[in-house]
Amino acid sequence: MDATLWAELAFPPHRTRLPVVGGLPAGVERDDPLPPHPWYPFQPSREAFRYTLARMPAVREPWLRAIYDRGC
């Protein structure tokens, strides 16, 4: 293997990834489709919420214990 090719593969040139602000320039089109939007609003898992609350020391507080007991 040529040393230049090996160096390119082993040590790729540094490319800075800058954050993009604003839209695309005029005349430039996206080549990837936007992700689909869900048909329903996001709802966190009740089981995961209760599981997390059960392991928090603050669940002994009356107001938080009431939420835990309701099963929300």
Side-chain angles (χ1 to χ4, degrees):
M1 180 181 293
D2 184 41
T4 309
L5 176 61
W6 179 85
E8 180 74 20
L9 293 174
F11 307 103
H14 180 67
R15 294 188 177 99
T16 348
R17 294 181 181 242
L18 299 174
V20 177
V21 178
L24 295 173
V28 176
E29 297 180 6
R30 294 183 65 97
D31 60 349
D32 55 335
L34 294 174
H37 292 288
W39 295 100
Y40 51 90
F42 173 75
Q43 294 180 344
S45 167
R46 289 183 178 186
E47 292 81 24
F49 182 66
R50 284 181 55 94
Y51 180 83
T52 304
L53 278 182
R55 279 144 187 79
M56 294 176 62
V59 80
R60 294 185 187 106
E61 298 290 328
W63 67 273
L64 194 52
R65 183 63 187 204
I67 294 173
Y68 179 81
D69 289 339
R70 268 188 301 194
C72 293

